[in-house]
Amino acid sequence: RGWAMSPVSIIVINLLAIIIFASLLDLSSLRGVLYFNIGLGLIALIQTVVFIIYRILSIKNREYESA
């Protein structure tokens, strides 16, 4: 009954985010490293929010169709 995201999608999205942020930011400075970590945190937050909204909407659609 618990909700779990697919590990494959989590790994792929996180790897892409790491590659993109590492190529765009200067990781030799503290500011670049901080922005890198903030960016990865935002990606994780967006990923979780999108997953939760998708699950809630899919449950509501199933309840609506069965009624």
Side-chain angles (χ1 to χ4, degrees), residues 9-52:
S9 66
I10 294 172
I11 291 170
V12 168
I13 292 171
N14 287 338
L15 279 176
L16 287 174
I18 290 170
I19 292 168
I20 290 169
F21 283 123
S23 64
L24 294 176
L25 298 171
D26 177 24
L27 297 180
S28 64
S29 69
L30 179 61
R31 181 175 296 209
V33 172
L34 290 175
Y35 286 150
F36 178 76
N37 285 325
I38 290 170
L40 292 181
L42 287 174
I43 294 295
L45 177 66
I46 292 168
Q47 186 178 10
T48 304
V49 168
V50 167
F51 174 73
I52 290 171

